Amino acid sequence: MPKFIHQQTVDFFHNQPIAAVALLREVGGIELPRFARATAEAVDATQLTSVEYRADAVVVLRDGSGTARLAVIVEVQLRRDAKKRFSWPVYAAALRARLQCDTALLVICMNRAVGRWCEQPISMGPSGTVTPVAIHSDRLPLVTDPDEARRHPELAVLSVAMNGDHPDIDKAMEVMLEGLNELDRKGAQLYLSYVFGLVPTVVGERLKELLMTASADYEKVIGARYFSEWVNKGLEQGLEQGRAEGEIEAILTVLDARGLDIPAEARERISRCSDLHLLEKWIRRAVTVTSVDELFV
């Protein structure tokens, strides 16, 4: 799994739990209970079940008295994984029992085919079904309405992240920036960092151009002194992390395709590496080594 994309998206919901609310209500069409606040909380299925059951994030809607009204399990799924169809219902049941409120299972998918797989109802046998609310590009098209972007900047950001190859991506990024211009400095930086990390390289470069064009407005939000440095650094970091993830995937794919056994420690060492120069060496070696140990010599 591309860990950078996965972790970036998980962090996004940890920092902006209101995004889960917007997705359920505006995209999923779910009528939510009245609530006073939405918070990302350190509540997961491990508190009632074994350690292997751990949700990516949990957002809880609470009323004015602090009572939980709805718990939203947020899962970021980048590939098909049949085991999830057994573990997801555990998350929902365990969290429902702990907080004594209804639960919703929200699955974020960057790939539409994976999204269509995730949204299929999960049969529980005679007890009924659990139906994930899967969000993917078919359900969250590009936001090109400036008013919608201002009302729901989190939806504008996610739509750009999920539709980076769309022919109208430039228009969507312009609209997204209009929405983000309404936010404070911290919020704008968070959203832009997320987008820089997930969109294709050419889209990231175009976003940088749009930001520089709109610098008069964005300097007010991000700070004139640091604006250019921050944009360049954000793009550079996002592209570098994205490249590292691609190199890691390539190494593991080549080793798997050659039928070489990859011990857990070696897989972890490869997956945690962020040195692009070293990763490039490992890619070249992966084609010829006879064992994974030779990769690190």
Side-chain angles (χ1 to χ4, degrees), residues 1-23:
M1 174 182 292
K3 291 185 178 180
F4 173 69
I5 295 176
H6 182 275
Q7 192 58 51
Q8 278 278 94
T9 307
V10 171
D11 290 345
F12 179 83
F13 283 93
H14 276 296
N15 287 293
Q16 293 293 333
I18 196 65
V21 176
L23 288 172

Side-chain angles (χ1 to χ4, degrees), residues 2-296:
K3 291 185 178 180
F4 173 69
I5 295 176
H6 182 275
Q7 192 58 51
Q8 278 278 94
T9 307
V10 171
D11 290 345
F12 179 83
F13 283 93
H14 276 296
N15 287 293
Q16 293 293 333
I18 196 65
V21 176
L23 288 172
L24 286 176
R25 184 167 51 201
E26 305 299 327
V27 182
I30 295 174
E31 185 175 348
L32 302 178
R34 296 185 64 178
F35 66 97
R37 65 183 187 277
T39 57
E41 303 189 10
V43 180
D44 58 56
T46 64
Q47 292 164 316
L48 287 177
T49 59
S50 64
V51 71
E52 64 182 299
Y53 296 115
R54 184 182 298 278
D56 287 331
V58 171
V59 175
V60 181
L61 310 188
R62 297 183 181 274
D63 61 21
S65 68
T67 302
R69 300 298 308 278
L70 179 70
V72 184
I73 297 160
V74 182
E75 281 283 286
V76 179
Q77 198 64 29
L78 305 182
R79 293 179 178 175
R80 294 190 183 194
D81 183 353
K83 294 180 181 179
K84 290 293 186 177
R85 299 183 68 79
F86 292 94
S87 61
W88 283 340
V90 176
Y91 301 165
L95 198 56
R96 181 175 182 272
R98 177 174 176 78
L99 296 179
Q100 297 184 25
C101 68
D102 288 342
T103 59
L105 175 58
L106 182 66
V107 186
I108 310 301
C109 309
M110 295 301 164
N111 179 285
R112 60 174 58 90
V114 173
R116 288 193 290 267
W117 176 81
C118 288
E119 66 192 5
Q120 299 303 310
I122 301 171
S123 174
M124 301 292 289
S127 299
T129 60
V130 173
T131 304
V133 180
I135 304 298
H136 48 90
S137 57
D138 283 350
R139 297 198 68 179
L140 182 61
L142 282 175
V143 174
T144 55
D145 179 357
D147 290 334
E148 184 179 0
R150 281 188 283 269
R151 286 195 307 272
H152 303 294
E154 59 280 345
L155 297 188
V157 167
L158 286 167
S159 79
V160 168
M162 290 184 177
N163 293 274
D165 58 350
H166 195 284
D168 293 331
I169 189 66
D170 274 20
K171 173 64 176 175
M173 287 194 294
E174 291 174 5
V175 167
M176 177 191 72
L177 292 180
E178 290 188 41
L180 297 189
N181 200 33
E182 303 293 322
L183 302 178
D184 60 18
R185 181 183 301 183
K186 183 178 180 181
Q189 288 180 341
L190 172 68
Y191 283 136
L192 287 171
S193 295
Y194 176 69
V195 174
F196 272 134
L198 266 67
V199 295
T201 302
V202 64
V203 177
E205 292 285 359
R206 178 57 181 151
L207 178 57
K208 178 182 174 182
E209 293 174 6
L210 292 173
L211 277 167
M212 291 303 184
T213 301
S215 61
D217 291 328
Y218 274 86
E219 284 174 359
K220 299 175 187 176
V221 176
I222 298 172
R225 180 178 176 184
Y226 303 107
F227 178 75
S228 296
E229 178 184 350
W230 180 82
V231 171
N232 281 301
K233 184 178 179 181
L235 177 59
E236 182 181 345
Q237 287 180 340
L239 297 179
E240 184 171 318
Q241 288 171 314
R243 281 182 60 199
E245 288 294 334
E247 303 281 27
I248 290 166
E249 283 291 292
I251 294 167
L252 294 175
T253 298
V254 170
L255 294 174
D256 282 333
R258 296 188 59 218
L260 297 178
D261 177 56
I262 309 176
E265 287 186 7
R267 187 178 292 272
E268 180 70 12
R269 181 175 177 181
I270 295 169
S271 298
R272 292 175 64 87
C273 182
S274 58
D275 185 332
L276 287 173
H277 182 64
L278 183 57
L279 288 171
E280 289 170 359
K281 282 186 176 180
W282 288 351
I283 285 179
R284 290 192 293 271
R285 292 178 182 174
V287 179
T288 58
V289 295
T290 57
S291 73
V292 174
D293 287 341
E294 295 178 21
L295 198 70
F296 309 121

